[in-house]
Amino acid sequence: MKAQYGILRFKKYKGPAISPIEAHNERTKEQYASNPDIDLSRTAQNFHLVTPRWSYEQEIKHRIQTAGCRVRKDSVKFVDTLVTVSPEFAKAHEAEMPEYFRRAFDFLKERVGEENIITMCLIFLCAGAFSGAVTAAGGVDSTVNLGLSLIPPHFAVAGLFIIGCFISVSMGTSVGTITALAPIAVGISKQTGFSMAICVAAVVCGAMFGDNLSMISDTTIAAVKTQGCEMKDKFKMNFLIVLPAAIITVVFFWFVTRNVAYDITENLDYNFWQVVPYLVVLIGALIGINVFLVLIGGTVISLIAGVATGNIVLADMFTVVGDGVVSMYDITVISILVACIVSLVKMNGGIQFILDQIKSRIHGAKGAQGGIALLSFLVDLCTANNTVAIVMTGPIAKEISDEFDVDPRRSASLLDMFTSVGQGLIPYGAQLLTAAALTGLTPFDFMPYLIYPMLMAVCGIVAICIRRERKSA
């Protein structure tokens, strides 16, 4: 017996192909030289799942105009999608074919056109463009130097944590923050004779603070999009939960280094205009401006600042933006693939099975929040990537939060926090490995001093226990 299988094909087309494809699909001709197997006597059995409003060309023009796109003569204008089955399957299940096509249509509409995933990927790319532009403009160096120039000498190590918090919130990348500050931590350690492990731990702790709070962090983007809440709302709730952990961390690093002073001898030149793009993105996101407008605006301001200060050559503007976009390519593709896998698992009952297992062990909203926290933490331990962990657990967390009436701001915060807890403690994660590579230590040397991720977990657990959040109207 020959194999029976389904077929799904996508193909891009330009303008001239519109009319021939419409004639083929709608069976408007009496003969089809391109496909002599078409049986016109069966055309009456054809049916529309969605009845066309206009001709194909009118529909395509309408959608292009609605999206505000500019097109060239050689632009791709539409994608033709073919869903079919092998002849053997069609003959064996002829009566079921209408239902097959309806289900295939629903699957494509829900999964391939999943708004949250596509939006999330577009935000990733915009965040990459901003990161590339602001880094090339000198924003990272100016921000670090500005922070260091404001640190009192007796507050050096605690100040590293605070600067790490600001930079990670501004940059949206914990690894980037560690890369920028780890060499400075080494310098402070050498000049004061204080333990390098504590200095490096202060940097890692600060980096993890912004990793789950930054408006342009891929983890924040994934968390809010999978849970269906606004970034500014998630930020406010998340910030209030982790604020006690941050305060205690500052006190801890100040206390253990209170008898040590550090005078910075390096040149700390900075240009405030290079810091402005970070402030624009941070403030714009907090007051609720559309994230695309914020990121695009931040990118434009970064380019202007870079050209004005001579750090970016006018001809290289698109190059630096492109480099930033390319840097987000991996996580974008991984997110799409993970979303597809999760959708297939859900379609075949896998997510429902996980939900049933979780529901049988939890009771009420507090138990649901604990389940979300534990699930996200364990998945991060397995993947060693908190963004991937959020994309994988996000749909399950959404189902749990809907079932047990958990505020989506709370579920998004828990996802982001507990994946960051895992990422900030595992010795095989990118953050700790980067810090180790830049300082000559091993992750196990400074892991005992990584108190912020530990305190973040404690604050998260306390937040779950002390009150039950209700969904906002």
Side-chain angles (χ1 to χ4, degrees):
M1 181 177 180
K2 291 186 178 180
Q4 300 180 18
Y5 48 85
I7 299 171
L8 174 62
R9 185 208 70 187
F10 297 95
K11 189 172 182 180
K12 298 183 291 185
Y13 284 102
K14 301 177 183 179
I18 296 175
S19 295
I21 287 178
E22 180 176 19
H24 178 83
N25 292 349
E26 301 297 328
R27 298 294 191 263
T28 59
K29 294 165 43 176
E30 294 184 359
Q31 286 185 326
Y32 294 88
S34 60
N35 190 351
D37 294 330
I38 291 177
D39 185 354
L40 294 176
S41 66
R42 302 179 63 187
T43 299
Q45 299 177 24
N46 294 346
F47 63 94
H48 286 103
L49 292 170
V50 177
T51 303
R53 296 177 295 181
W54 308 298
S55 68
Y56 285 17
E57 186 167 5
Q58 288 175 307
E59 179 69 37
I60 291 168
K61 284 183 178 179
H62 172 73
R63 295 197 179 196
I64 291 174
Q65 291 171 355
T66 301
C69 298
R70 298 178 62 184
V71 295
R72 304 187 305 268
K73 290 183 179 180
D74 60 344
S75 295
V76 172
K77 293 187 175 180
F78 70 104
V79 177
D80 185 50
T81 304
L82 171 67
V83 180
T84 186
V85 295
S86 61
E88 293 77 17
F89 183 91
K91 291 177 182 178
H93 303 275
E94 186 172 357
E96 301 170 4
M97 292 312 298
E99 180 63 21
Y100 168 82
F101 288 117
R102 288 191 182 93
R103 291 194 180 191
F105 173 73
D106 290 340
F107 178 85
L108 288 172
K109 183 173 67 173
E110 182 180 356
R111 307 303 177 189
V112 177
E114 177 64 56
E115 180 181 359
N116 286 340
I117 295 298
I118 299 302
T119 302
M120 180 176 70
C121 292
L122 290 175
I123 295 174
F124 282 161
L125 298 179
C126 287
F130 170 71
S131 177
V134 75
T135 300
V140 176
D141 293 337
S142 282
T143 302
V144 171
N145 289 345
L146 173 62
L148 288 173
S149 66
L150 299 175
I151 296 178
H154 63 280
F155 208 66
V157 178
L160 273 178
F161 170 72
I162 295 174
I163 294 174
C165 292
F166 177 73
I167 294 176
S168 58
V169 169
S170 302
M171 292 175 60
T173 164
S174 53
V175 174
T177 301
I178 292 169
T179 302
L181 289 180
I184 296 172
V186 173
I188 291 177
S189 174
K190 288 181 178 179
Q191 292 201 27
T192 61
F194 208 80
S195 169
M196 188 183 297
I198 291 183
C199 296
V200 174
V203 170
V204 175
C205 287
M208 297 316 299
F209 175 85
D211 195 61
N212 78 106
L213 283 174
S214 174
M215 303 293 180
I216 61 172
S217 169
D218 45 9
T219 60
T220 300
I221 295 167
V224 299
K225 286 304 172 184
T226 57
Q227 301 309 295
C229 63
E230 295 294 328
M231 285 193 183
K232 62 182 180 68
D233 297 329
K234 182 264 184 188
F235 176 89
K236 294 173 183 176
M237 177 169 286
N238 200 157
F239 179 76
L240 291 176
I241 295 174
V242 302
L243 181 59
I247 294 173
I248 295 172
T249 302
V250 171
V251 173
F252 169 81
F253 284 119
W254 168 79
F255 182 79
V256 298
T257 61
R258 64 191 183 281
N259 296 322
V260 178
Y262 170 57
D263 292 323
I264 299 175
T265 58
E266 292 86 356
N267 187 5
L268 296 179
D269 288 340
Y270 64 88
N271 187 321
F272 182 75
W273 291 109
Q274 295 171 339
V275 183
V276 167
Y278 286 130
L279 298 177
V280 169
V281 169
L282 181 61
I283 295 171
L286 281 176
I287 63 178
I289 299 176
N290 181 276
V291 64
F292 288 107
L293 294 178
V294 169
L295 291 173
I296 293 172
T299 302
V300 172
I301 294 173
S302 298
L303 292 173
I304 293 173
V307 171
T309 57
N311 288 327
I312 298 178
V313 179
L314 193 63
D316 291 340
M317 288 195 301
F318 292 106
T319 301
V320 300
V321 171
D323 290 342
V325 171
V326 170
S327 71
M328 298 297 285
Y329 175 78
D330 287 348
I331 194 62
T332 301
V333 172
I334 290 172
S335 296
I336 294 173
L337 291 175
V338 169
C340 292
I341 292 170
V342 171
S343 295
L344 290 172
V345 171
K346 182 177 182 179
M347 187 178 183
N348 288 281
I351 288 183
Q352 188 60 48
F353 173 78
I354 296 173
L355 289 173
D356 291 340
Q357 295 299 312
I358 294 175
K359 289 176 184 177
S360 66
R361 291 167 171 79
I362 60 177
H363 304 282
K366 291 182 180 179
Q369 294 175 60
I372 292 172
L374 181 60
L375 180 65
S376 57
F377 176 74
L378 293 176
V379 173
D380 184 74
L381 295 185
C382 297
T383 61
N385 186 308
N386 43 347
T387 305
V388 173
I390 290 173
V391 174
M392 289 181 67
T393 58
I396 300 174
K398 179 63 175 172
E399 295 278 354
I400 295 173
S401 62
D402 289 343
E403 175 74 19
F404 291 95
D405 196 29
V406 177
D407 190 326
R409 299 172 300 171
R410 175 59 68 92
S411 60
S413 298
L414 292 174
L415 274 175
D416 212 349
M417 286 172 55
F418 281 89
T419 53
S420 289
V421 168
Q423 203 64 26
L425 292 175
I426 55 176
Y428 50 89
Q431 288 78 2
L432 271 63
L433 291 176
T434 299
L438 292 171
T439 60
L441 300 175
T442 70
F444 298 101
D445 292 329
F446 51 84
M447 281 177 62
Y449 305 104
L450 296 175
I451 67 163
Y452 178 73
M454 303 176 198
L455 291 172
M456 182 163 54
V458 172
C459 289
I461 294 170
V462 171
I464 291 172
C465 294
I466 61 175
R467 71 174 183 175
R468 173 181 180 272
E469 289 291 337
R470 293 184 179 178
K471 285 187 176 181
S472 56

